[in-house]
Amino acid sequence: RALHLAVASNFIAPIKQLAMEFQQETGNDITLSFGSSGKLFAQIQHGAPFDIFLSADVAKPEALIKNRLAEPNSLVIYAKGKLALWSVHPMTGSLEDVLQRAHRIAIANPKLAPYGKAAKESLMSLSQWDTVKTKIVQGENIGQTYQFVYSQNADIGFVAYSQVLAGDIKGDIIAIPSQRHSKINQAAVVVSQSKNKELAKQFMAFLMRPDIQTKIARFGYSTAAD
Amino acid sequence: MLLSPEDLGAIWLTLKLASLVTLLLIVLCTPLAWWLARTQSWLKGPINAIVAMPLVLPPTVLGFYLLLLLGPQGSVGAFLGQIGFSALPFSFAGLVVASMLYSLPFVVQPIQNAFIAIGTKPLEAAATLRSSPWDRFLYVALPLAKPGYISAAILGFAHTVGEFGVVLMIGGNIPYETRVISIQIYDHVEALEYGQAHTLSLLMMAFAFIVLAFLYGNQKRQKHHVVAGGVL
Amino acid sequence: MLLSPEDLGAIWLTLKLASLVTLLLIVLCTPLAWWLARTQSWLKGPINAIVAMPLVLPPTVLGFYLLLLLGPQGSVGAFLGQIGFSALPFSFAGLVVASMLYSLPFVVQPIQNAFIAIGTKPLEAAATLRSSPWDRFLYVALPLAKPGYISAAILGFAHTVGEFGVVLMIGGNIPYETRVISIQIYDHVEALEYGQAHTLSLLMMAFAFIVLAFLYGNQKRQKHHVVAGGVL
Amino acid sequence: MNLPTDNMLCVQIKQPATSQSSFSLDVDLLLPSTGVTALFGASGSGKTTILRHIAGLNISQHSHVSLNNNIWQSAGGSVPPHKRPIGFVFQEGNLFEHLTAEGNLRFAMKRANTGSSIIAFDEVIELMNIRGILTQFPAQLSGGERQRVAIARALLIQPQLLLMDEPLAALDETLKQDILPYLEALCHRANIPILYVSHSLDEVIRLADHMVVLEKGKVTEQGAVHSLLGKLGTSFSRYQDASVVISGVVTKQEKQWGLSWLEFDNQTIAFKQGNESINDTIRLRIQSKDVSITLSKDNHSSILNHIEAIVDETERDPQDPSTIRVRLLAGNTPILAKVTALSAHRLALKKA
Amino acid sequence: MNLPTDNMLCVQIKQPATSQSSFSLDVDLLLPSTGVTALFGASGSGKTTILRHIAGLNISQHSHVSLNNNIWQSAGGSVPPHKRPIGFVFQEGNLFEHLTAEGNLRFAMKRANTGSSIIAFDEVIELMNIRGILTQFPAQLSGGERQRVAIARALLIQPQLLLMDEPLAALDETLKQDILPYLEALCHRANIPILYVSHSLDEVIRLADHMVVLEKGKVTEQGAVHSLLGKLGTSFSRYQDASVVISGVVTKQEKQWGLSWLEFDNQTIAFKQGNESINDTIRLRIQSKDVSITLSKDNHSSILNHIEAIVDETERDPQDPSTIRVRLLAGNTPILAKVTALSAHRLALKKA
Ligand SMILES: Nc1ncnc2c1ncn2[C@@H]1O[C@H](COP(=O)(O)OP(=O)(O)OP(=O)(O)O)[C@@H](O)[C@H]1O
Ligand SMILES: Nc1ncnc2c1ncn2[C@@H]1O[C@H](COP(=O)(O)OP(=O)(O)OP(=O)(O)O)[C@@H](O)[C@H]1O
Ligand SMILES: [Mg+2]
Ligand SMILES: [Mg+2]
């Protein structure tokens, strides 16, 4: 039986590579399903046949544990996101200047996406939120936010550093210091209904192995150790 | 059942959007449907197919391509910019355009079929009664195509109300401007605020049910004014 | 232009799903459309409205409710489980059910309008020729409603192909099983694999274009076999 | 009811006026289930509606329809149209637009009562002269062509009762001359009763044995054509061409002149030879306007037939003062003549 | 062409056969643009098609249609149907199903040429006897009612040329008797020429001044009804009721008998009084089957009219050996008689 992973959409590219490596190492097949964390959460609640849930946040895996839908002790932080302000065109001057000059600022929906929440917190801690509020357009998730900037409909946007690394347009990046926002931790849990818990635990261990964590970092994340 | 001001704003926006889109679509689709119903041109097949094309792509993906096309770098966007239009994405106008594109086939098709069903006889009769092409279109073809228009309005309206992916992409989810009710419900669901999602969904369905039941109830069997005692 | 095995799997799944859904819908909608076209019952308005209801909700939200309903805790799901059916969510069968629900109005409406346009005369003539209700339905009503069926098939098929929110929610995006091409394209976009997304989108549009152009091209002006020299 | 309805078409219809239409129908007909019955009446008098009730296309609770004691409609229920062994030629043709002319005919043939295939495809095609248009769709046919296909279709269903709603209205004389005798022969050969709506008295008299005159949804006259035509002053005689029908036996035929002679009531009358044979009993119609009255037997005229008769009754037409209708009796056989008032005056015609 | 087409309806149509239809039309008509012209011909001979070309509903490149020198169709182009001042009564009625009977009439009135409102709403309603059904939809009308509404609609558009495709086919005698004289009067009063398709020779002769006989898309006869009816052996005389039309002056009227007398060629003939007055020039039709030939003048007969004539020609009908057609000359006026061969033999009729 293949191990079935439910993975938040922002982690598609890394997980594809990791799954391949796991397969090569152990000979076990892996099936990947993607979706927003909210959808995957609802699906697990209603009996989706997943073994492991790799969320884009910590809250949802915790909620699953609380509802006895996930193994209590299985939760791990497998990746930490890095927030970046990105533009296709060069950005000059201070962060404040850039924000003031922009016409449209893309962020992910703060209510739904950890990157969105982080972006909002950063803006607030920079005391910019109130002045730029009206210029903000929201992507449903971090993928859409990226597309807003990519298509240049928004001149700048708060995206994941991992996206900028993966994308075909590099543009200009300003890294946002991580102390300006709460951590963008991505947690994984083993689903209670899994009929493959042994393998699942094996994969969780694999995921947290230092060499694998290094690989994750190369996609633009901070590792669990940071 | 308390609705937040944001919910109310979304409802209002949705109604405005759906009504406007339906209205514009009906106006614009009428000549297109007319042409498609009457022409013998080889272009008929291809154009019909193009009309249905937006349906085939997932809405968010369609939205992405629209963003590319309408953005400052996109051919259409650049052109619109040059002739002095403000950018369409992230505006209500953009929502209207995107929704129209996506609901187009549901409005064209019923009207087109209704025009086909009319045939040429009533139009010929009108022509011999000094009715110009325009006049006979207005006073003969349109009234006879009424059932098709009702269908078109219903499908177009309902589809625009529920439409979501394209609107999300093009609209940028700006409260009171582009955040329609479907996005609002979606947000509630994604944020696991299921209670609010249920309330809004129920409200929306109830409203739609009343509107639709009324519209359909009024759609008579126009073709045959009931035959006394007829059995078929 | 190389397609991955997953892409090919998604394409195959999509064709299977869309064909099956269209076929089933046409079969199931026919009696419903017939009833709606002929009845004088007060239930007509409400039932027509209910058919259009799924349209009003955003697809993912609709998918969410289907999940609630069909999941092991849901009333329908529990019932199906009791009578020995395997669970519908996260299976191909579930996709079929969900897509049917969502594309229903696009299939019912054109067929219903086509039936209305037939009127009673041909059916009366058939009845006097010893044609039973069933026989005259098959050999008179169906052939005369052909344009409506073509519309229904096109809209139903295209809408199922592009549909995405419901399918994602109810299907769970499982490769080779519920990951249809629209989800695949969506995933490519999310993973910023725009090249692959473009390729797949183009392919899909090209394919759909050819199929639709062909279908429409064959849709003759059945009602009027061209009048020699007729001008209207 | 203990009426002898064995060989009868029994039609009682009460269709009340509705909010849709002020028209109400109230008829009670007992018609012989052989031969041709004509339904005659002004436009809008309810002829089509009666046929629809008999076919089962309209039903009303208080109706009763039966043919040879097979009840089709009664308070107890209604036999659906497709189970009634009828053929219906609609006033508007009602061909299937999605089928060619031939397709329309085949539609009927496939569903025909195979037990009684009396009417053959080729025969009907030939008669209706529609071989050349079989591959055309109804929209590609002329009005008369459509009507002929509709008649052919109704015949090919092999009906036990033929309902014809002005089937020949769009046809020219020549075609009518071809089709009418065939219908006549048919109803005898196959024993198919025909209920025939027509505005043409000519057609009616040529074809019908029995006739029903309708006015505003009510029957004003019904009976044998024979007796109705001979009656003066019925609502029927308002129609221009009053006539009588006489029956008799063919006694002589002269091929050289193309004539046959009929004997009735000790009188003989010559007529154009048809396909009758000596000793056949046949009917002839004599139109009142073709009868002139002479007091002396004159042999220098091209008028061939002279019948001795006495004047039974004379009536002035209230609407047309120039005309007098004279009822004559040749033995016991009534004959009607229409003459000018002036002639009647000159000849001093009065009841003998 | 330098033809004097000032007061002419000129119709040249060449519609070739197509892959759709083997029917081809090739006609060249020059018709007077006053009075009534009848189009006569078998079913499928192309009558409807000609009307459609005149109305502009069909067009073909090689056609030429003009009325009083206004060119509607030529190689140079085509005036669209709605700009041709015609009224068209379709063979199938073609009422607008979404409008009531009154709605249909108002549709026409709103678009009528207001300059020439000769035909009034109330007058037409009354004549067609459709006041009672004005609020009904076409689907709620009887066949004849639909046809009457269609005629009314075509009249209310105030046409300058009326095209009528069997307008009276579904109407009963009584209605025809009401409508025909009106149409006749109308075309005189308003000077509206009428092109009239009919299968009924009676109607044709009653109404028409000019007539065109069609066969398989070709014209076989055309000319004044007057002269066509008098010709023997034309394709036209195959139609049962050959007749002649005589013109003359009304010389006497006797109200008492409801008769008028017409004088022509030094002969007089009595006829049923209409609304003609003394000294009017009018036309009468004499059907050949109503003419009997006698060698002696006999005063004891109810036959009122006796005309002295000589036998000009006799012809045996090849299809009907029992009948001889005799052409007589009363002065210069031809009169046709149809007598049995036997009578002709007995009277020894031959060319004088
Ligand atoms: N739309 C069409 N397509 C092909 N053929 C046609 C079409 N309409 C008419 N025809 C053919 O053209 C011929 C002439 O038709 P038309 O309607 O002019 O006849 P008509 O003289 O009016 O006959 P009727 O007295 O039966 O109405 C017919 O043989 C008919 O089959
Ligand atoms: N569907 C209907 N709804 C309401 N009234 C109707 C309907 N059909 C017919 N009528 C009315 O019923 C009356 C009788 O109609 P019917 O068709 O039986 O007349 P008809 O005798 O066949 O006349 P025609 O000779 O003109 O065809 C008419 O006055 C007509 O207006
Ligand atoms: Mg009728
Ligand atoms: Mg015709």
Side-chain angles (χ1 to χ4, degrees):
Chain A
R1 270 207 41 160
L3 192 64
H4 200 155
L5 308 189
V7 185
S9 294
N10 72 325
F11 208 61
I12 293 177
I15 199 67
K16 276 185 178 166
Q17 193 184 333
L18 300 183
M20 215 147 64
E21 290 189 14
F22 184 74
Q23 275 167 348
Q24 277 163 3
E25 258 185 54
T26 67
N28 287 298
D29 279 348
I30 285 188
T31 304
L32 297 172
S33 289
F34 307 110
S36 72
S37 303
K39 274 190 207 79
L40 295 172
F41 177 86
Q43 286 170 341
I44 290 167
Q45 269 192 319
H46 293 95
F50 303 142
D51 298 308
I52 294 174
F53 173 36
L54 279 79
S55 177
D57 64 0
V58 184
K60 289 181 185 92
E62 276 175 350
L64 283 182
I65 290 175
K66 212 173 123 201
N67 294 336
R68 297 169 190 274
L69 290 165
E71 293 291 286
N73 297 317
S74 64
L75 190 142
V76 295
I77 307 292
Y78 64 91
K80 296 177 173 179
K82 287 199 275 192
L83 186 65
L85 183 64
W86 179 53
S87 172
V88 174
H89 301 290
M91 293 182 283
T92 52
S94 69
L95 186 55
E96 284 79 2
D97 288 344
V98 171
L99 288 171
Q100 291 309 321
R101 269 203 308 273
H103 293 291
R104 290 277 187 204
I105 304 170
I107 68 169
N109 190 333
K111 217 168 104 183
L112 309 178
Y115 286 97
K117 185 162 163 253
K120 185 174 174 183
E121 286 167 355
S122 306
L123 286 171
M124 285 172 103
S125 86
L126 288 164
S127 310
Q128 295 288 321
W129 176 253
D130 287 323
T131 51
V132 301
K133 213 163 73 181
T134 52
K135 303 198 278 191
I136 282 181
V137 292
Q138 290 180 4
E140 210 45 51
N141 52 37
I142 200 66
Q144 283 187 7
T145 312
Y146 181 86
Q147 289 160 29
F148 288 166
V149 183
Y150 179 91
S151 63
Q152 299 181 34
N153 285 291
D155 2 29
I156 58 174
F158 290 89
V159 301
Y161 182 59
S162 58
Q163 292 176 305
V164 185
L165 283 189
D168 54 358
I169 299 179
K170 294 303 171 218
D172 226 0
I173 304 172
I174 301 173
I176 306 295
S178 62
Q179 57 274 20
R180 293 222 171 264
H181 56 80
S182 48
K183 294 196 172 65
I184 310 172
N185 287 348
Q186 305 199 185
V189 282
V190 175
V191 178
S192 292
Q193 285 198 330
S194 166
K195 299 196 175 72
N196 228 352
K197 291 208 182 99
E198 280 317 305
L199 191 57
K201 283 184 185 137
Q202 200 185 331
F203 183 82
M204 295 291 265
F206 167 82
L207 199 58
M208 300 309 291
R209 244 166 48 193
D211 61 321
I212 299 301
Q213 284 289 313
T214 315
K215 283 194 174 132
I216 292 176
R218 271 190 227 134
F219 280 95
Y221 293 90
S222 311
T223 55
D226 289 338
Chain B
M1 185 170 92
L2 279 170
L3 294 174
S4 68
E6 293 218 340
D7 288 342
L8 288 175
I11 290 176
W12 167 236
L13 201 64
T14 303
L15 289 182
K16 206 168 78 170
L17 177 69
S19 317
L20 194 64
V21 166
T22 309
L23 204 81
L24 286 176
L25 272 183
I26 282 191
V27 171
L28 289 181
C29 287
T30 293
L32 179 61
W34 181 254
W35 182 80
L36 285 171
R38 314 252 128 211
T39 185
Q40 305 287 336
S41 158
W42 64 271
L43 278 171
K44 183 181 155 180
I47 287 188
N48 244 319
I50 285 172
V51 165
M53 209 58 2
L55 273 189
V56 176
L57 289 181
T60 35
V61 175
L62 179 67
F64 177 45
Y65 287 124
L66 282 179
L67 273 185
L68 288 178
L69 208 67
L70 296 176
Q73 238 46 34
S75 47
V76 178
F79 172 76
L80 285 179
Q82 269 177 8
I83 60 172
F85 274 94
S86 60
L88 283 175
F90 313 130
S91 69
F92 183 72
L95 284 200
V96 172
V97 170
S99 299
M100 279 175 64
L101 196 68
Y102 195 51
S103 294
L104 188 67
F106 303 121
V107 177
V108 173
Q109 285 275 330
I111 300 183
Q112 182 179 343
N113 282 347
F115 283 150
I116 290 174
I118 291 175
T120 52
K121 283 185 176 185
L123 298 172
E124 287 184 350
T128 65
L129 293 168
R130 301 199 194 204
S131 175
S132 65
W134 180 235
D135 184 71
R136 56 187 184 252
F137 174 76
L138 279 185
Y139 295 99
V140 180
L142 279 192
L144 284 172
K146 201 174 132 206
Y149 274 91
I150 293 180
S151 270
I154 286 169
L155 292 181
F157 191 91
H159 195 248
T160 306
V161 166
E163 210 300 294
F164 155 74
V166 183
V167 160
L168 201 64
M169 271 315 262
I170 283 291
N173 196 359
I174 304 168
Y176 304 105
E177 195 167 338
T178 62
R179 182 181 298 165
V180 292
I181 199 165
S182 57
I183 297 184
Q184 189 78 350
I185 299 178
Y186 175 79
D187 284 358
H188 285 314
V189 170
E190 287 283 300
L192 316 188
E193 299 163 354
Y194 293 151
Q196 274 143 294
H198 296 343
T199 307
L200 266 187
S201 295
L202 256 178
L203 195 80
M204 203 150 153
M205 306 243 309
F207 170 77
F209 181 84
I210 291 167
V211 171
L212 294 184
F214 176 79
L215 261 178
Y216 278 111
N218 265 24
Q219 182 183 20
K220 278 204 226 79
R221 279 173 69 181
Q222 198 199 14
K223 180 110 184 177
H224 288 269
H225 302 274
V226 189
V227 179
V231 294
L232 295 185
Chain C
M1 184 170 92
L2 280 170
L3 294 174
S4 70
E6 292 217 343
D7 289 342
L8 288 175
I11 291 176
W12 168 235
L13 202 64
T14 304
L15 290 182
K16 208 168 79 173
L17 177 70
S19 318
L20 195 63
V21 166
T22 309
L23 205 80
L24 285 176
L25 272 181
I26 282 191
V27 171
L28 289 181
C29 287
T30 294
L32 179 61
W34 181 254
W35 182 81
L36 285 170
R38 313 250 128 209
T39 187
Q40 304 288 335
S41 157
W42 65 272
L43 277 170
K44 185 181 154 177
I47 288 189
N48 244 321
I50 285 173
V51 165
M53 210 60 358
L55 274 189
V56 176
L57 289 181
T60 31
V61 175
L62 179 67
F64 174 61
Y65 285 116
L66 282 179
L67 207 55
L68 288 184
L69 211 65
L70 297 176
Q73 284 99 39
S75 49
V76 177
F79 172 75
L80 286 179
Q82 268 176 6
I83 60 169
F85 274 96
S86 59
L88 283 176
F90 318 117
S91 70
F92 183 73
L95 285 199
V96 172
V97 171
S99 300
M100 280 175 62
L101 197 68
Y102 194 51
S103 295
L104 190 67
F106 304 122
V107 177
V108 173
Q109 285 275 331
I111 300 182
Q112 182 179 344
N113 282 346
F115 283 150
I116 291 174
I118 291 175
T120 53
K121 284 186 177 186
L123 299 173
E124 286 184 349
T128 66
L129 293 167
R130 303 200 190 201
S131 176
S132 65
W134 180 235
D135 184 71
R136 58 187 183 250
F137 175 76
L138 278 185
Y139 295 100
V140 180
L142 279 192
L144 285 171
K146 200 174 134 204
Y149 274 91
I150 292 180
S151 271
I154 286 170
L155 292 180
F157 191 91
H159 195 246
T160 306
V161 166
E163 211 298 295
F164 157 73
V166 183
V167 161
L168 188 61
M169 201 67 179
I170 213 79
N173 193 358
I174 303 169
Y176 302 107
E177 197 167 337
T178 61
R179 183 182 296 164
V180 292
I181 201 163
S182 57
I183 299 184
Q184 183 76 354
I185 298 178
Y186 176 77
D187 282 353
H188 281 312
V189 171
E190 286 289 298
L192 313 189
E193 299 161 353
Y194 292 159
Q196 274 143 294
H198 296 342
T199 307
L200 265 187
S201 294
L202 257 178
L203 195 79
M204 204 150 151
M205 308 243 308
F207 169 77
F209 181 83
I210 291 168
V211 171
L212 294 184
F214 177 80
L215 261 178
Y216 279 112
N218 265 24
Q219 184 184 19
K220 281 203 223 78
R221 278 174 69 182
Q222 199 200 11
K223 181 111 185 175
H224 287 270
H225 300 272
V226 187
V227 179
V231 294
L232 295 185
Chain D
M1 282 193 305
N2 278 331
L3 281 172
T5 52
D6 261 30
N7 282 303
M8 286 288 171
L9 171 63
C10 174
V11 180
Q12 291 170 4
I13 307 167
K14 278 193 216 311
Q15 179 185 296
T18 64
S19 58
Q20 300 275 326
S21 156
S22 61
F23 177 76
S24 69
L25 191 65
D26 185 355
V27 298
D28 189 345
L29 302 171
L30 202 59
L31 306 171
S33 75
T34 51
V36 178
T37 302
L39 257 181
F40 206 80
S43 172
S45 59
K47 305 181 293 297
T48 300
T49 310
I50 290 182
L51 293 197
R52 289 178 58 89
H53 275 276
I54 296 174
L57 296 174
N58 284 13
I59 51 177
S60 97
Q61 279 207 312
H62 311 290
S63 296
H64 177 93
V65 178
S66 65
L67 177 67
N68 303 340
N69 276 343
N70 293 318
I71 295 175
W72 290 351
Q73 168 76 50
S74 70
S78 177
V79 174
H82 67 279
K83 295 214 174 124
R84 305 189 182 190
I86 52 158
F88 199 140
V89 181
F90 290 89
Q91 197 167 4
E92 263 96 26
N94 281 12
L95 294 182
F96 300 125
E97 296 281 332
H98 64 296
L99 297 176
T100 59
E102 176 156 6
N104 271 276
L105 301 182
R106 300 262 170 227
F107 187 97
M109 289 169 76
K110 274 200 201 108
R111 288 155 183 84
N113 191 342
T114 43
S116 58
S117 286
I118 298 169
I119 302 159
F121 183 70
D122 284 307
E123 186 189 11
V124 172
I125 296 294
E126 227 42 75
L127 173 83
M128 295 295 158
N129 196 8
I130 49 178
R131 193 174 293 286
I133 53 160
L134 283 180
T135 58
Q136 278 166 254
F137 285 90
Q140 300 171 314
L141 296 179
S142 81
E145 288 165 348
R146 269 197 294 280
Q147 215 173 16
R148 282 179 277 155
V149 175
I151 297 174
R153 191 176 67 171
L155 290 175
L156 287 173
I157 198 72
Q158 314 288 347
Q160 285 165 36
L161 168 64
L162 198 54
L163 305 171
M164 307 188 89
D165 202 349
E166 301 190 51
L168 306 181
L171 299 186
D172 47 284
E173 266 321 305
T174 326
L175 268 168
K176 276 190 193 172
Q177 294 302 329
D178 289 348
I179 294 173
L180 275 176
Y182 176 80
L183 280 178
E184 212 170 6
L186 185 80
C187 72
H188 277 112
R189 189 179 66 183
N191 208 12
I192 303 170
I194 302 181
L195 201 56
Y196 192 97
V197 171
S198 174
H199 289 127
S200 158
L201 201 60
D202 240 43
E203 262 171 58
V204 168
I205 287 162
R206 176 75 197 270
L207 269 179
D209 309 290
H210 211 82
M211 114 180 269
V212 175
V213 182
L214 269 184
E215 214 164 284
K216 292 184 186 151
K218 306 254 177 312
V219 175
T220 55
E221 301 293 332
Q222 67 170 307
V225 168
H226 192 80
S227 66
L228 269 187
L229 292 182
K231 259 203 266 174
L232 282 177
T234 66
S235 68
F236 179 69
S237 65
R238 277 191 296 122
Y239 294 97
Q240 273 237 310
D241 304 332
S243 22
V244 293
V245 173
I246 55 176
S247 313
V249 177
V250 178
T251 53
K252 189 168 90 169
Q253 292 192 306
E254 287 193 15
K255 211 163 175 193
Q256 177 192 8
W257 304 118
L259 296 174
S260 298
W261 276 262
L262 179 85
E263 194 173 311
F264 71 99
D265 245 346
N266 294 325
Q267 310 250 8
T268 49
I269 190 166
F271 63 98
K272 199 175 119 187
Q273 201 168 346
N275 49 6
E276 70 286 335
S277 330
I278 298 264
N279 287 331
D280 281 3
T281 300
I282 62 159
R283 297 182 304 152
L284 286 181
R285 169 192 171 211
I286 302 175
Q287 280 186 284
S288 61
K289 69 179 172 100
D290 286 344
V291 177
S292 62
I293 298 172
T294 171
L295 303 182
S296 64
K297 185 157 179 176
D298 156 33
N299 270 323
H300 302 298
S301 159
S302 65
I303 295 176
L304 198 61
N305 289 312
H306 294 262
I307 296 168
E308 279 176 31
I310 55 168
V311 174
D312 179 48
E313 202 181 323
T314 62
E315 186 199 46
R316 209 167 179 129
D317 187 332
Q319 269 147 42
D320 179 1
S322 71
T323 305
I324 300 275
R325 288 165 199 276
V326 184
R327 182 180 155 109
L328 301 149
L329 279 177
N332 292 316
T333 305
I335 290 173
L336 294 181
K338 185 174 147 191
V339 301
T340 59
L342 180 57
S343 300
H345 172 73
R346 285 197 188 150
L347 299 180
L349 294 181
K350 60 168 75 88
K351 193 169 160 63
Chain E
M1 284 194 303
N2 278 329
L3 281 173
T5 52
D6 261 30
N7 282 302
M8 286 289 174
L9 171 63
C10 174
V11 181
Q12 289 169 2
I13 306 167
K14 276 192 218 312
Q15 178 185 296
T18 64
S19 58
Q20 300 275 328
S21 158
S22 62
F23 178 77
S24 69
L25 191 66
D26 184 357
V27 299
D28 188 345
L29 302 170
L30 203 59
L31 306 171
S33 75
T34 50
V36 179
T37 301
L39 257 181
F40 206 79
S43 171
S45 58
K47 305 180 294 295
T48 300
T49 310
I50 290 181
L51 293 198
R52 289 179 57 88
H53 275 276
I54 297 173
L57 297 175
N58 283 12
I59 50 177
S60 97
Q61 279 207 313
H62 311 290
S63 297
H64 177 94
V65 177
S66 65
L67 177 68
N68 303 341
N69 275 344
N70 293 319
I71 295 176
W72 290 351
Q73 167 75 49
S74 69
S78 177
V79 175
H82 67 280
K83 296 214 173 122
R84 304 187 183 191
I86 52 156
F88 200 139
V89 181
F90 290 88
Q91 198 167 3
E92 263 95 26
N94 281 9
L95 295 181
F96 300 126
E97 295 282 331
H98 64 296
L99 299 176
T100 59
E102 176 155 9
N104 270 276
L105 301 182
R106 298 265 170 226
F107 187 100
M109 288 168 77
K110 275 202 201 105
R111 289 155 183 84
N113 191 342
T114 44
S116 58
S117 286
I118 298 168
I119 302 159
F121 183 69
D122 284 308
E123 185 187 12
V124 172
I125 296 292
E126 228 42 76
L127 173 81
M128 296 295 159
N129 195 10
I130 49 178
R131 193 173 294 286
I133 53 160
L134 283 179
T135 59
Q136 280 168 253
F137 284 90
Q140 300 172 314
L141 297 178
S142 82
E145 287 164 349
R146 270 196 294 280
Q147 215 173 17
R148 281 179 278 156
V149 174
I151 298 174
R153 190 176 68 171
L155 290 175
L156 288 172
I157 199 71
Q158 313 286 349
Q160 285 166 35
L161 168 64
L162 198 52
L163 305 171
M164 307 187 91
D165 202 348
E166 302 191 50
L168 306 182
L171 299 185
D172 47 284
E173 265 324 303
T174 327
L175 268 168
K176 276 189 191 173
Q177 295 300 329
D178 289 349
I179 295 173
L180 275 177
Y182 176 82
L183 280 179
E184 213 170 2
L186 185 82
C187 75
H188 276 113
R189 188 180 67 183
N191 207 12
I192 303 171
I194 301 181
L195 201 54
Y196 192 95
V197 171
S198 174
H199 290 127
S200 157
L201 201 60
D202 239 45
E203 262 171 59
V204 168
I205 288 164
R206 174 78 198 266
L207 268 178
D209 309 291
H210 211 81
M211 114 180 268
V212 176
V213 182
L214 269 184
E215 213 165 287
K216 292 182 186 154
K218 307 252 174 318
V219 175
T220 55
E221 301 291 332
Q222 68 171 306
V225 169
H226 191 79
S227 65
L228 268 189
L229 291 182
K231 259 204 262 174
L232 281 178
T234 66
S235 66
F236 179 66
S237 65
R238 277 191 297 122
Y239 294 96
Q240 273 236 313
D241 305 333
S243 21
V244 292
V245 173
I246 55 179
S247 311
V249 177
V250 178
T251 52
K252 187 169 91 173
Q253 290 192 306
E254 289 193 13
K255 212 166 177 191
Q256 175 190 8
W257 303 116
L259 294 175
S260 297
W261 277 261
L262 179 86
E263 193 171 312
F264 71 98
D265 243 346
N266 292 325
Q267 310 252 7
T268 50
I269 190 166
F271 63 99
K272 198 175 119 186
Q273 201 169 344
N275 50 7
E276 70 285 334
S277 328
I278 298 266
N279 288 330
D280 281 3
T281 300
I282 61 159
R283 296 183 304 153
L284 285 182
R285 170 194 170 209
I286 302 176
Q287 278 186 286
S288 61
K289 69 178 171 103
D290 286 343
V291 177
S292 62
I293 300 171
T294 172
L295 303 181
S296 64
K297 185 157 179 176
D298 154 33
N299 269 325
H300 302 297
S301 158
S302 65
I303 296 175
L304 199 62
N305 289 312
H306 293 261
I307 296 168
E308 278 176 34
I310 54 168
V311 175
D312 180 47
E313 200 181 324
T314 63
E315 186 197 47
R316 207 166 181 126
D317 187 331
Q319 268 146 43
D320 179 1
S322 72
T323 307
I324 300 274
R325 288 166 198 275
V326 184
R327 184 180 156 107
L328 301 149
L329 280 176
N332 292 319
T333 304
I335 291 174
L336 294 182
K338 184 173 146 191
V339 302
T340 59
L342 180 57
S343 299
H345 172 74
R346 285 196 188 152
L347 300 179
L349 295 181
K350 57 169 77 89
K351 193 170 161 62

